[in-house]
Amino acid sequence: MINTSFEQRTERRNRLIGLLRSETYWKTSDLREQLGVSQRTLMRELAELKRAGYPIESERGRGGGIRLNGRWGVNRLQLNHQEVVELILSLAIMESLQSPLLTSNLKAIKQKLFQAFPQEQRSAVSNLRKRIMIGSNAGADTVSRYVTPEHTISESIAEAFLEQYGLEIDYESDSGAQTTRVIEAHYILLNWPIWYITAWDHLREDSRMFRIDRIKNARIVASRFSLKPIEDFIGIYTPYYQSI
């Protein structure tokens, strides 16, 4: 009889962990079917996970089953949605920079981090990830004229984006003209290190893109907006952007 290879066992164990995280409870019969293993093999895998420190729990009776304690994993750090997005975004930015050193596993790390959180939080974070786009690096001429925005302005923009609040901004165009307008920050785009807001502009009653470093002041507006589909903004951004 040929022993199961180490790679196959590792893959099966990782899949078992993923299954346990994906549902509140699992019946052993359902886990066996998903993994294609015997009851004995399943029990051995669960026992080995327990020995490795995974908090495997079981409950008898109707509605019971086997589960992985929901408080186990990265979520025990008690990160909120914004902190999770910022962490995943940092990994995505590093991935986009294509550094030859210490970045080969970033994509896998990003996915594992995302999967480590409870389903409710994953859904909220997933919706935010779809609204954050990363493209190529900005050109040298653009970077030479870039000025880091003030922290208070960045905080107001982030809050308006995350909570879908309207945002009143004082904006300076490329020509130096300044206007005050109320915008809805539907999507944000990054050409490292330049951030852009893809927004609905109430002054022009149309979609517009704003460079964040040209926003001279930003104030939260109490009213919230409903998210428009990305297709409504395709005319003002290049399609090579990828969501994080």
Side-chain angles (χ1 to χ4, degrees), residues 71-86:
R71 295 183 62 82
W72 179 87
V74 179
N75 62 307
R76 65 184 171 183
L77 296 175
Q78 300 298 313
L79 299 178
N80 60 37
H81 298 341
Q82 180 176 348
E83 290 167 335
V84 175
V85 169
E86 289 177 359

mmCIF file of all heavy atoms in Angstrom, residues 71-86:
data_model
loop_
_atom_site.group_PDB
_atom_site.id
_atom_site.type_symbol
_atom_site.label_atom_id
_atom_site.label_comp_id
_atom_site.label_asym_id
_atom_site.label_seq_id
_atom_site.Cartn_x
_atom_site.Cartn_y
_atom_site.Cartn_z
ATOM 1 N N ARG A 71 -13.361 32.275 17.564
ATOM 2 C CA ARG A 71 -12.487 33.344 18.048
ATOM 3 C C ARG A 71 -11.019 33.021 17.812
ATOM 4 O O ARG A 71 -10.139 33.808 18.160
ATOM 5 C CB ARG A 71 -12.724 33.577 19.545
ATOM 6 C CG ARG A 71 -14.112 34.093 19.852
ATOM 7 C CD ARG A 71 -14.257 34.372 21.340
ATOM 8 N NE ARG A 71 -13.321 35.402 21.778
ATOM 9 C CZ ARG A 71 -13.534 36.698 21.633
ATOM 10 N NH1 ARG A 71 -14.624 37.132 21.045
ATOM 11 N NH2 ARG A 71 -12.648 37.571 22.067
ATOM 12 N N TRP A 72 -10.761 31.842 17.189
ATOM 13 C CA TRP A 72 -9.375 31.471 16.941
ATOM 14 C C TRP A 72 -8.874 32.138 15.679
ATOM 15 O O TRP A 72 -9.616 32.385 14.742
ATOM 16 C CB TRP A 72 -9.250 29.956 16.785
ATOM 17 C CG TRP A 72 -7.851 29.527 16.503
ATOM 18 C CD1 TRP A 72 -6.871 29.252 17.393
ATOM 19 C CD2 TRP A 72 -7.263 29.351 15.212
ATOM 20 N NE1 TRP A 72 -5.710 28.914 16.757
ATOM 21 C CE2 TRP A 72 -5.922 28.969 15.418
ATOM 22 C CE3 TRP A 72 -7.735 29.495 13.909
ATOM 23 C CZ2 TRP A 72 -5.054 28.712 14.365
ATOM 24 C CZ3 TRP A 72 -6.872 29.237 12.867
ATOM 25 C CH2 TRP A 72 -5.549 28.850 13.096
ATOM 26 N N GLY A 73 -7.594 32.408 15.616
ATOM 27 C CA GLY A 73 -6.993 32.917 14.387
ATOM 28 C C GLY A 73 -6.682 34.389 14.472
ATOM 29 O O GLY A 73 -6.650 34.990 15.540
ATOM 30 N N VAL A 74 -6.493 34.996 13.315
ATOM 31 C CA VAL A 74 -6.105 36.401 13.270
ATOM 32 C C VAL A 74 -7.161 37.291 13.887
ATOM 33 O O VAL A 74 -6.863 38.331 14.456
ATOM 34 C CB VAL A 74 -5.839 36.824 11.805
ATOM 35 C CG1 VAL A 74 -5.461 38.293 11.726
ATOM 36 C CG2 VAL A 74 -4.722 35.974 11.204
ATOM 37 N N ASN A 75 -8.451 36.868 13.806
ATOM 38 C CA ASN A 75 -9.504 37.747 14.304
ATOM 39 C C ASN A 75 -9.438 37.952 15.809
ATOM 40 O O ASN A 75 -10.087 38.832 16.340
ATOM 41 C CB ASN A 75 -10.889 37.212 13.916
ATOM 42 C CG ASN A 75 -11.176 35.852 14.516
ATOM 43 O OD1 ASN A 75 -10.398 34.927 14.355
ATOM 44 N ND2 ASN A 75 -12.296 35.735 15.195
ATOM 45 N N ARG A 76 -8.661 37.145 16.536
ATOM 46 C CA ARG A 76 -8.548 37.379 17.972
ATOM 47 C C ARG A 76 -7.783 38.667 18.255
ATOM 48 O O ARG A 76 -7.747 39.134 19.383
ATOM 49 C CB ARG A 76 -7.876 36.192 18.658
ATOM 50 C CG ARG A 76 -6.435 35.949 18.251
ATOM 51 C CD ARG A 76 -5.888 34.695 18.914
ATOM 52 N NE ARG A 76 -4.590 34.325 18.396
ATOM 53 C CZ ARG A 76 -3.933 33.238 18.770
ATOM 54 N NH1 ARG A 76 -4.444 32.424 19.658
ATOM 55 N NH2 ARG A 76 -2.759 32.946 18.250
ATOM 56 N N LEU A 77 -7.161 39.248 17.234
ATOM 57 C CA LEU A 77 -6.536 40.551 17.388
ATOM 58 C C LEU A 77 -7.574 41.658 17.477
ATOM 59 O O LEU A 77 -7.244 42.798 17.770
ATOM 60 C CB LEU A 77 -5.607 40.837 16.193
ATOM 61 C CG LEU A 77 -4.404 39.914 16.025
ATOM 62 C CD1 LEU A 77 -3.668 40.265 14.737
ATOM 63 C CD2 LEU A 77 -3.465 40.023 17.212
ATOM 64 N N GLN A 78 -8.839 41.321 17.170
ATOM 65 C CA GLN A 78 -9.939 42.276 17.230
ATOM 66 C C GLN A 78 -9.727 43.447 16.265
ATOM 67 O O GLN A 78 -9.895 44.612 16.618
ATOM 68 C CB GLN A 78 -10.131 42.797 18.665
ATOM 69 C CG GLN A 78 -10.448 41.721 19.686
ATOM 70 C CD GLN A 78 -11.754 41.008 19.381
ATOM 71 O OE1 GLN A 78 -12.753 41.649 19.100
ATOM 72 N NE2 GLN A 78 -11.749 39.692 19.426
ATOM 73 N N LEU A 79 -9.329 43.129 15.049
ATOM 74 C CA LEU A 79 -9.189 44.160 14.029
ATOM 75 C C LEU A 79 -10.567 44.536 13.504
ATOM 76 O O LEU A 79 -11.407 43.672 13.271
ATOM 77 C CB LEU A 79 -8.325 43.653 12.870
ATOM 78 C CG LEU A 79 -6.885 43.239 13.197
ATOM 79 C CD1 LEU A 79 -6.201 42.720 11.946
ATOM 80 C CD2 LEU A 79 -6.105 44.398 13.783
ATOM 81 N N ASN A 80 -10.791 45.847 13.294
ATOM 82 C CA ASN A 80 -12.047 46.251 12.677
ATOM 83 C C ASN A 80 -11.907 46.210 11.157
ATOM 84 O O ASN A 80 -10.837 45.937 10.625
ATOM 85 C CB ASN A 80 -12.484 47.637 13.171
ATOM 86 C CG ASN A 80 -11.465 48.723 12.847
ATOM 87 O OD1 ASN A 80 -10.830 48.714 11.789
ATOM 88 N ND2 ASN A 80 -11.302 49.673 13.758
ATOM 89 N N HIS A 81 -13.023 46.502 10.453
ATOM 90 C CA HIS A 81 -13.016 46.386 8.993
ATOM 91 C C HIS A 81 -11.941 47.265 8.360
ATOM 92 O O HIS A 81 -11.238 46.849 7.439
ATOM 93 C CB HIS A 81 -14.387 46.769 8.423
ATOM 94 C CG HIS A 81 -15.503 45.890 8.883
ATOM 95 N ND1 HIS A 81 -15.294 44.634 9.408
ATOM 96 C CD2 HIS A 81 -16.846 46.081 8.899
ATOM 97 C CE1 HIS A 81 -16.460 44.095 9.730
ATOM 98 N NE2 HIS A 81 -17.410 44.952 9.435
ATOM 99 N N GLN A 82 -11.826 48.494 8.854
ATOM 100 C CA GLN A 82 -10.848 49.412 8.274
ATOM 101 C C GLN A 82 -9.428 48.894 8.471
ATOM 102 O O GLN A 82 -8.603 48.950 7.550
ATOM 103 C CB GLN A 82 -10.979 50.805 8.894
ATOM 104 C CG GLN A 82 -9.966 51.805 8.313
ATOM 105 C CD GLN A 82 -10.150 53.210 8.853
ATOM 106 O OE1 GLN A 82 -11.160 53.513 9.484
ATOM 107 N NE2 GLN A 82 -9.189 54.077 8.605
ATOM 108 N N GLU A 83 -9.137 48.369 9.652
ATOM 109 C CA GLU A 83 -7.793 47.858 9.921
ATOM 110 C C GLU A 83 -7.475 46.647 9.051
ATOM 111 O O GLU A 83 -6.347 46.493 8.570
ATOM 112 C CB GLU A 83 -7.668 47.505 11.406
ATOM 113 C CG GLU A 83 -7.667 48.728 12.317
ATOM 114 C CD GLU A 83 -7.857 48.366 13.782
ATOM 115 O OE1 GLU A 83 -8.436 47.299 14.073
ATOM 116 O OE2 GLU A 83 -7.430 49.157 14.640
ATOM 117 N N VAL A 84 -8.474 45.789 8.841
ATOM 118 C CA VAL A 84 -8.269 44.625 7.971
ATOM 119 C C VAL A 84 -7.972 45.082 6.549
ATOM 120 O O VAL A 84 -7.043 44.601 5.894
ATOM 121 C CB VAL A 84 -9.508 43.705 7.986
ATOM 122 C CG1 VAL A 84 -9.326 42.556 6.990
ATOM 123 C CG2 VAL A 84 -9.743 43.145 9.378
ATOM 124 N N VAL A 85 -8.773 46.037 6.055
ATOM 125 C CA VAL A 85 -8.571 46.543 4.698
ATOM 126 C C VAL A 85 -7.196 47.185 4.559
ATOM 127 O O VAL A 85 -6.493 46.979 3.564
ATOM 128 C CB VAL A 85 -9.681 47.550 4.324
ATOM 129 C CG1 VAL A 85 -9.338 48.275 3.027
ATOM 130 C CG2 VAL A 85 -11.014 46.831 4.175
ATOM 131 N N GLU A 86 -6.790 47.963 5.562
ATOM 132 C CA GLU A 86 -5.483 48.615 5.501
ATOM 133 C C GLU A 86 -4.356 47.588 5.463
ATOM 134 O O GLU A 86 -3.364 47.766 4.741
ATOM 135 C CB GLU A 86 -5.316 49.553 6.699
ATOM 136 C CG GLU A 86 -6.188 50.797 6.610
ATOM 137 C CD GLU A 86 -6.076 51.686 7.838
ATOM 138 O OE1 GLU A 86 -5.330 51.317 8.772
ATOM 139 O OE2 GLU A 86 -6.727 52.743 7.868
#
